[in-house]
Amino acid sequence: MPAKVAIVGRPNVGKSTLFNRLVGKRLAIVDDTPGVTRDRREGAARLGDLEFIAVDTAGLEEADDESMAGRMRQQTEAAVREAAAVLFVIDGRAGVTPMDRHFANWLRKQKRPVLLLANKCEGGAGGFGVAEAHGLGFGDPIPVSAEHGEGLYDLSLALIEHIAGNAEGVPGDDADELDMVEADIDIDPDAEAPAEDPNRPIQLAVVGRPNAGKSTLVNKLIGSDRLLTGPEPGLTRDAIAIEWEYEGRRVKLVDTAGLRRKARVEHKLEKLSVADTLRTVRLAQVVVLVLDGALGMDKQDLTIADHVMQEGRALVIAVNKWDAVEDRALALKEIEDRLEKSLPQARGIPVVTFSALTGRHLDRLLPAVMKQYERWNRRIPTSQLNRWLEEMIARNPPPLAGGRSVRIRYATQVKARPPTIALFAPRAEFIPESYLRYLINGLRETFDLQGVPIRMHLRKGKNPYVRDED
C-alpha cells in the first residue's frame, strides 16, 4: 500500500482545498462555511515524483465524544493513526489560535511525523502567522497557498523524508478508480464501456433519502466504523469511496449524501452535495437505493430510481430498518406495487430487506448486487436475439402504417452495460413506442434481464449480413 498522509487542522483553514490541490481534482466539496468536511476522504496524490494517498479530514474541534463534532473528531483521529505523516494546517493570516495550540499538544502525543503548514500565504501574506507558528514546536512552518498552488515544492522536500521509504507507488489502476468516482468530467452515456475486467473493482454507489441508513449500511458491510453515522439527517456531504472485497471480487463502495426533493434544496452546500451524488450515480455500475422500511417508498425514492435507470445503471432496492416494520408482508407488497405501477421500466428490480444496524439478513444484499451486475454486463448472441425477434413478431406483429406492414428485418446488440439493442427497419419511424416496450418486456423475460435498464434504438437500413433484401 502507498503511504497515507493525513491533512488535519481546525475548521475552515483550507484542508479540503489543499487535498484537492494534491490529488489534482476537485474531489472534496469546498465552501467558506466551517465544518463542510465530516467524513475522511482518500485520494491518490502526487507532489513532483512523490506519490502517496492524501486523506482529507474533518476540522478538529473540542466536543463530547457522543456529539456530532465528537464523532467527526474520532474519524480524524483514526486517519492520524493510519498515517505515515500528518500535515497540520493553520490559517497563516489568522495566526495561531487557542484551538490550534490545543490540537498541537494532542498531535505531539500521537507519535507521527508532523509537518506544520501555514495556509493562505499567497503573495507573501500571513507573515505574522508564520512567525507565530514557530511556537507550536513542530519546527519551521511551511508557508503555502493551497488555492494558488504556492509553496508545494517546499512541502514535497519536507514530506519526502517521512514517506519515501514507506511508499510503494500508487498503482495506475487504483489511482484511476479513486479518481473515477467523483472526477468532474463529461461522460458520453451512449459510449461503449470497456470490456469487463475482473481485476478492476465494481463501482457500487449507495444512494437514498437522508437518514435512510446508507452510512450505517456501508460500515456494516466493511466491518468498520469508517463513516460518520448518527440520528442527525444529512450527516454525509461528500461521496466517500471505500475499497473493499466481496468473495474475492474487488468492490468500490461509494457512500453518498442524501437526496431530498429539489424544491427543498436551498442551501449552496446541499446543492453541491446533491451534484456530487448525481455525478457518482453517473459513474457507478450498480446502484443500491436504500429505503427506510418504516416509511416505505415515496415519490422521492421513485424519482431517484428513475434517475438511476435513465443513467443506465443496474439497480437494487435495499429496504433498511426492516426490524422496525410491523406488517412486513403488507409493507413489501406496497413497495413492489409502487414500483410496478410508477416505474414500469424497472420491472423485476430485486428488493432486499434487512437491518443494517443489527446486520440481520444483510447477507442477502451483495448476492443481489452481483446478480444485477452480471445481468447489466450480459451480451446476447446475435443468432439467439434474432430467433427471439421472429417469435415476438409472429406473436404480435408491429401495427400497420398507412395500410402497409412495418417490417423489422434484423436485431443486434451493439453494446452492454447497459444492454443496448439496435433494430433495423426500413420504415423505423412508424414503429410506436408501445411496440418497443412490448419488445423490451419480452427481452427481459426471455434473457433474464429483470430490473436492468434496456436501451432499444431503431435504425433505418438494410441487414448488414444479407447482400440483397426485398
Side-chain angles (χ1 to χ4, degrees):
M1 280 290 293
K4 291 186 178 181
V5 176
I7 305 170
V8 306
R10 62 182 175 83
N12 217 33
V13 294
K15 299 184 298 300
S16 293
T17 304
L18 176 61
F19 173 83
N20 287 345
R21 175 68 64 176
L22 293 175
V23 301
K25 297 180 183 292
R26 195 184 63 207
L27 299 189
I29 294 176
V30 175
D31 192 77
D32 291 336
T33 307
V36 172
T37 302
R38 289 176 173 173
D39 288 290
R40 64 188 192 269
R41 173 198 291 275
E42 299 181 357
R46 179 190 294 272
L47 271 178
D49 295 330
L50 191 63
E51 297 180 334
F52 54 95
I53 297 296
V55 185
D56 189 23
T57 65
L60 288 164
E61 295 186 77
E62 293 186 77
D64 181 80
D65 286 348
E66 298 303 317
S67 67
M68 184 172 69
R71 300 197 305 275
M72 289 163 60
R73 189 192 65 246
Q74 290 170 21
Q75 290 288 318
T76 300
E77 292 171 354
V80 170
R81 287 194 298 270
E82 297 174 3
V86 177
L87 304 183
F88 181 31
V89 184
I90 67 168
D91 185 334
R93 293 185 177 184
V96 178
T97 68
M99 190 178 294
D100 292 326
R101 297 185 189 280
H102 173 80
F103 288 109
N105 292 333
W106 175 78
L107 277 173
R108 274 192 287 271
K109 301 174 184 178
Q110 304 310 305
K111 298 181 180 179
R112 290 290 184 274
V114 177
L115 298 179
L116 178 60
L117 306 187
N119 191 26
K120 306 182 184 180
C121 291
E122 56 270 13
F128 174 76
V130 172
E132 193 177 20
H134 281 86
L136 291 176
F138 294 115
D140 293 338
I142 305 171
V144 300
S145 172
E147 185 173 358
H148 297 88
E150 297 179 12
L152 297 185
Y153 177 72
D154 292 336
L155 173 58
S156 67
L157 293 179
L159 191 58
I160 192 168
E161 63 179 279
H162 298 296
I163 69 170
N166 298 312
E168 299 174 1
V170 182
D173 284 349
D174 287 356
D176 290 343
E177 292 299 333
L178 282 166
D179 294 342
M180 166 184 180
V181 178
E182 295 126 327
D184 191 9
I185 57 179
D186 294 326
I187 298 295
D188 179 4
D190 292 319
E192 178 62 277
E196 164 68 356
D197 181 356
N199 296 319
R200 294 179 72 87
I202 297 172
Q203 299 285 336
L204 175 59
V206 180
V207 305
R209 284 181 287 159
N211 220 31
K214 300 181 293 298
S215 298
T216 302
L217 168 61
V218 173
N219 282 345
K220 198 69 174 181
L221 286 174
I222 65 176
S224 171
D225 291 334
R226 173 63 177 80
L227 300 170
L228 187 67
T229 61
E232 305 91 345
L235 275 180
T236 303
R237 284 175 169 168
D238 294 283
I240 305 297
I242 301 171
E243 186 86 20
W244 186 56
E245 190 172 289
Y246 173 74
E247 294 188 350
R249 183 64 195 264
R250 292 169 64 202
V251 178
K252 182 79 71 176
L253 283 168
V254 188
D255 185 32
T256 64
L259 293 171
R260 296 196 300 165
R261 294 180 183 176
K262 189 174 181 179
R264 296 182 179 179
V265 179
E266 299 177 352
H267 299 292
K268 176 186 174 183
L269 266 180
E270 188 170 1
K271 291 179 180 178
L272 291 172
S273 297
V274 168
D276 203 26
T277 298
L278 296 179
R279 184 163 56 247
T280 300
V281 169
R282 187 173 72 246
L283 297 175
Q285 295 169 327
V286 185
V287 176
V288 172
L289 172 56
V290 182
L291 312 182
D292 185 331
L295 301 178
M297 173 168 270
D298 75 353
K299 185 177 180 181
Q300 178 64 6
D301 295 314
L302 290 169
T303 300
I304 298 171
D306 181 64
H307 177 77
V308 172
M309 299 294 284
Q310 292 294 330
E311 290 288 353
R313 308 301 97 182
L315 178 63
V316 174
I317 304 295
V319 188
N320 189 22
K321 308 180 185 180
W322 198 239
D323 49 343
V325 178
E326 294 183 3
D327 192 337
R328 298 177 183 176
L330 177 62
L332 185 59
K333 186 176 186 306
E334 287 178 348
I335 291 172
E336 291 174 341
D337 288 348
R338 192 85 188 266
L339 283 170
E340 181 75 19
K341 178 180 178 181
S342 303
L343 209 64
Q345 71 271 33
R347 182 174 299 171
I349 285 179
V351 178
V352 183
T353 60
F354 58 86
S355 169
L357 188 62
T358 65
R360 182 174 174 79
H361 297 315
L362 191 55
D363 56 344
R364 300 172 178 174
L365 179 60
L366 266 296
V369 167
M370 294 302 175
K371 181 63 176 178
Q372 286 303 94
Y373 180 73
E374 184 272 328
R375 287 169 170 162
W376 186 68
N377 277 283
R378 184 166 300 164
R379 283 191 174 275
I380 305 170
T382 300
S383 57
Q384 292 183 25
L385 191 59
N386 280 280
R387 283 196 296 270
W388 161 83
L389 180 62
E390 289 175 3
E391 294 173 3
M392 294 294 288
I393 292 174
R395 189 183 309 160
N396 181 17
L400 298 176
R404 298 172 55 193
S405 62
V406 178
R407 296 183 63 186
I408 302 175
R409 299 183 181 275
Y410 184 76
T412 186
Q413 184 173 355
V414 295
K415 68 184 288 274
R417 312 172 72 183
T420 303
I421 309 299
L423 300 177
F424 292 86
R427 306 176 69 203
E429 66 273 16
F430 294 108
I431 299 177
E433 286 292 329
S434 58
Y435 194 77
L436 291 182
R437 288 196 296 270
Y438 159 72
L439 293 178
I440 289 173
N441 289 336
L443 198 68
R444 281 204 176 97
E445 293 173 4
T446 303
F447 296 104
D448 187 26
L449 295 174
Q450 302 296 337
V452 174
I454 297 174
R455 291 172 175 167
M456 190 167 283
H457 302 306
L458 290 168
R459 295 182 180 176
K460 292 184 180 181
K462 297 180 179 180
N463 182 339
Y465 292 91
V466 177
R467 292 184 180 179
D468 255 330
E469 291 186 299
D470 296 336

